[in-house]
């Protein structure tokens, strides 16, 4: 077998060769290289729409790759230290759901933190798995959920020896990492798989002085958002697997839900981005780390804000911290994170990743520049001066421990009724409620609705959080299980 070379980008190379052939298209897509949709061609450029093509023999097929896509997957697996890598065009949501669906079936248990992304909950609705939640510890000052402690995971494993897998966030949205290596060892010692949601950890595979990656820790599967910190196009992702995972079965699971018309724009962006990270990743992320550390230092000098870093590590529930994440606590300047988020956008033309009730996250990655950091720091200083005040009356707690009554699948498909928000206390929810981003459910199907949760929902709405999930777009009503 020919040795792999990370200088190659086989999908991109095949597309370039195909483009030069000037083939007459009597296949889909119907815009026929942009000729049928001139406004789209003008928006995206002729080269872009010209490369928006369908699967064909020279370009391979994502559902059953045997040539250039297969080679691109092998290169990705080598670059990320995995036994196999699957190119995903349905976002990391698709990768996470394929990972869970490959691991647990109806009625089987999976151990996981409650502060998981909605994609994990969605997978449980689809497959009927039973969640065993390990409630993460919380930081009272920051008001955010932390990682899972090893002792809490061990307790859950011992109490649920029939569980099939343990799922870990690596890292959380805020940059917090659990002791993944120890959790992997625990899971394997009890015959369970360990899965990692690495939507925000692509750079762990290529940077120095960053937390350990899932594959380096021996995890069995990891969903990796290449488009977040890896530089590929939005919606492109990777699913990585270890040596004990059956590649053919995972491919079958992926093909249950992933499109049969994989976008070659997304696939080539994965290919090119993998090559870029494999060849220059360490140098790239060294610069990102320097920018993040500089920004953290400058923001902390403004006063009132707290841009946290590795000093919050405690060796367990905060085993490590991703220093590229510019997470900033805002409550002490008298503003909720979502209020700072809105002010930065509306007053200073700065779009950050998200704001919750007490924190903001500015996402730094390979495309950021030092002058943009200066602009952000200056704007935060102005926000404090112009809009800051006392922190009286601001809600602090971000994590509310759930009370699971029935499985997500049972609740989602059960007979239900719609109630006004205030009348739903004490009932069992049959839908999702979340602030997006980050997309961590406040309520998930099968969980009991409490007064505390309702208070949180109303407060988050009033502060301007973007609420998603329920059937009622205004979130004035909730669907609950009938008669429960």
């Amino acid at each position: 077998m020919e040795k792999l070379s990370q200088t190659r980008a086989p999908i991109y190379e095949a597309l370039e060769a195909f483009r030069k052939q000037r083939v007459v298209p009597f296949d889909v897509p119907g815009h026929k290289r942009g000729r049928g949709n001139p406004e789209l061609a003008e928006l995206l450029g002729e080269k872009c729409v010209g490369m928006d093509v369908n699967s064909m023999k020279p370009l391979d097929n994502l559902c059953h790759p045997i040539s250039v896509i297969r080679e691109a997957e092998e290169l990705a697996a080598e670059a990320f230290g995995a036994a196999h890598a699957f190119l995903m065009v349905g976002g990391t949501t698709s990768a996470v759901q394929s990972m869970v669906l490959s691991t647990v079936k109806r009625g089987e248990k999976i151990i996981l933190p409650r502060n998981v992304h909605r994609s994990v909950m969605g997978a449980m609705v689809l497959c009927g798995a039973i969640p065993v939640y390990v409630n993460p510890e919380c930081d009272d000052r920051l008001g955010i959920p932390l990682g899972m402690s090893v002792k809490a995971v061990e307790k859950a494993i011992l109490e649920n020896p029939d569980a099939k897998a343990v799922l870990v966030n690596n890292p959380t949205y805020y940059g917090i990492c659990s002791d993944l290596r120890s959790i992997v060892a625990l899971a394997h010692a009890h015959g369970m798989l360990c899965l990692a949601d690495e939507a925000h950890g692509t750079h762990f595979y290529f940077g120095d002085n960053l937390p350990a990656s899932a594959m380096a820790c021996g995890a069995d599967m990891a969903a990796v958002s290449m488009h977040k910190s890896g530089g590929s196009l939005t919606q492109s992702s990777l699913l990585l697997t270890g040596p004990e995972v059956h590649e053919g079965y995972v491919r079958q699971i992926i093909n249950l839900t992933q499109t049969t018309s994989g976008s070659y724009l997304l696939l080539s962006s994965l290919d090119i981005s993998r090559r870029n990270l494999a060849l220059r990743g360490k140098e790239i992320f060294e610069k990102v780390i320097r920018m993040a550390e500089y920004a953290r230092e400058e923001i902390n000098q403004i006063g009132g804000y707290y841009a946290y870093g590795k000093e919050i590590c405690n060796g367990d529930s905060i085993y490590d911290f991703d220093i590229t994440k510019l997470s900033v606590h805002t409550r002490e300047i008298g503003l909720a994170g979502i209020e700072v988020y809105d002010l930065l956008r509306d007053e200073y033309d700065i779009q950050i990743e998200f704001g919750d009730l007490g924190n903001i996250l500015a996402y730094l990655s390979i495309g950021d520049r030092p002058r943009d950091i200066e602009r952000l720091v200056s704007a935060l200083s102005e926000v404090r001066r112009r809009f800051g005040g006392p922190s009286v009356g601001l809600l602090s707690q971000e994590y509310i421990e759930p009370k699971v009554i029935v499985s997500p699948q049972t609740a989602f498909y059960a007979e239900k009724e719609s109630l006004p928000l205030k009348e739903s206390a004490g009932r069992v929810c049959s839908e999702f409620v979340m602030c997006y981003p980050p997309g961590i459910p406040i309520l998930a199907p099968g969980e009991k609705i409490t007064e505390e949760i309702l208070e949180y929902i109303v407060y988050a709405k009033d502060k301007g959080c973007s609420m998603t999930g329920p059937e009622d777009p205004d979130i004035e009503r909730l669907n609950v299980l009938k008669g429960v």
Side-chain angles (χ1 to χ4, degrees), residues 61-65 69 73 86-95 97-98 101 235-239 250-263 266-267 270:
N61 188 302
L62 183 59
C63 295
H64 186 79
I69 294 177
E73 289 185 338
F86 300 87
L87 305 187
M88 307 295 293
V89 295
T92 308
T93 288
S94 178
Q97 292 184 342
S98 296
L101 294 172
Q235 207 175 303
S236 58
S237 185
L238 293 174
L239 177 57
V250 175
R251 179 84 68 193
Q252 285 185 322
I253 294 292
I254 289 170
N255 287 340
L256 290 176
T257 56
Q258 183 161 258
T259 178
T260 54
S261 306
S263 164
L266 298 181
L267 292 171
L270 280 170

Side-chain angles (χ1 to χ4, degrees), residues 307-340:
Y308 36 103
K310 279 191 180 270
E311 75 281 351
I312 68 171
C313 292
N314 60 20
D316 192 12
S317 58
I318 315 174
Y319 184 76
D320 206 346
F321 183 81
D322 174 11
I323 51 177
T324 72
K325 295 285 186 296
L326 190 54
S327 299
V328 184
H329 188 58
T330 65
R331 283 185 69 245
E332 289 176 24
I333 67 161
L335 293 170
I338 188 63
E339 292 174 315
V340 175

Side-chain angles (χ1 to χ4, degrees), residues 23 26 31 71 96 162-163 178 207 213 235 319 355 361 367 370 399 402 405:
V23 171
F26 283 103
H31 62 67
E71 190 180 346
V96 165
D162 54 339
S178 302
S213 70
Q235 207 175 303
Y319 184 76
L361 172 65
Y399 176 77
I405 309 301

